[in-house]
């Protein structure tokens, strides 16, 4: 088991030296800045072939239920870097975060950036649409601005940057490449699949039900919080 790391660079060096197939999913521009991880605020979102390989290699610990409400789900972990806890989200091949075919091709097409690996520009753009529109409750202005800039780099014709326009581009891309919308094994990941072509959704009744139940719980909690605010005003 690996000892705590002196820096984020040391963490990635350990993965690279072990020839682990991984990539950082997004928001990697300031990933090497130590200030990002002060007081446990920073985290690293990754896609890999085998999350347990990374866990064993770096000595990552699952987030515990009494502290974070999670335990040993194969996704949410932490490591110690320069004395600070750093959260790792280890999305892995076949977990439904994206469809398996796309996840494998993302890993096959990965490119080097600084001392770690990331997606190529095209995969990053379309996966970010998927994440920002379908895996969030709504498209945030920060993601909208970023996607507009990325579309210009790729030479794509984007006009108003609406959810509908980005989804049209994403669905065309998925049809062209044989990708599907899939329910993540992590039921806490939102999926706004009512916005997409039903024919592109990979059916999984069990996972669909888990997501539905979790979404209902979230809505009930939101309603109770709003109700409490109404009575305390």
């Amino acid at each position: 088991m690996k000892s705590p790391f002196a820096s984020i660079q040391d963490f990635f060096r350990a993965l690279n030296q072990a020839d682990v197939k991984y990539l950082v999913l997004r928001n990697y521009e300031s990933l090497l800045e130590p200030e990002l991880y002060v007081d446990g605020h920073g985290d690293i979102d990754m896609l890999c072939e085998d999350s347990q390989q990374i866990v064993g290699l770096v000595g990552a610990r699952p987030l515990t239920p009494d502290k974070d409400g999670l335990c040993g789900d194969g996704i949410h972990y932490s490591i110690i870097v320069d004395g600070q806890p750093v959260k790792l989200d280890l999305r892995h091949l076949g977990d439904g975060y994206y469809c398996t075919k796309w996840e494998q091709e993302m890993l096959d097409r990965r490119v080097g950036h600084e001392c770690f690996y990331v997606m190529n520009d095209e995969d990053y753009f379309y996966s970010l649409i998927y994440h920002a529109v379908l895996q969030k409750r709504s498209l945030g202005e920060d993601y909208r601005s970023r996607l507009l800039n990325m579309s210009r780099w790729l030479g794509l014709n984007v006009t108003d940057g609406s959810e509908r326009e980005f989804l049209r581009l994403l669905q065309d891309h998925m049809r062209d490449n044989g990708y599907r919308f899939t329910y993540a094994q992590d039921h806490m990941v939102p999926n706004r699949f009512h916005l997409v072509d039903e024919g592109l959704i990979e059916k999984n009744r069990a996972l669909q039900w888990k997501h539905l139940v979790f979404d209902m719980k979230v809505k009930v909690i939101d309603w109770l919080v709003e109700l409490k605010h109404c009575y305390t005003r």
Side-chain angles (χ1 to χ4, degrees), residues 117-132:
Y117 290 95
V118 299
M119 296 181 207
N120 67 22
D121 290 341
E122 185 176 76
D123 281 331
Y124 191 20
F125 175 68
Y126 288 107
S127 69
L128 200 61
I129 296 176
Y130 195 121
H131 176 68

Side-chain angles (χ1 to χ4, degrees), residues 23-38:
L23 57 82
V24 176
L25 281 168
R26 55 188 164 267
N27 304 328
Y28 52 78
E29 290 78 9
S30 59
L31 204 58
L32 300 181
E33 297 177 7
E35 296 79 9
L36 181 66
Y37 307 99
V38 173

Side-chain angles (χ1 to χ4, degrees), residues 2 23 51 54 71 73-74 76 97 151 162 165 177 197 204 213 215 217-218:
K2 181 73 177 180
L23 57 82
S51 62
I54 292 180
C71 183
D73 59 3
H76 302 91
Y97 195 70
S151 69
S162 64
E165 187 171 31
N177 290 277
D197 179 358
N204 187 317
V213 169
D215 288 345
K217 289 180 179 178
V218 170

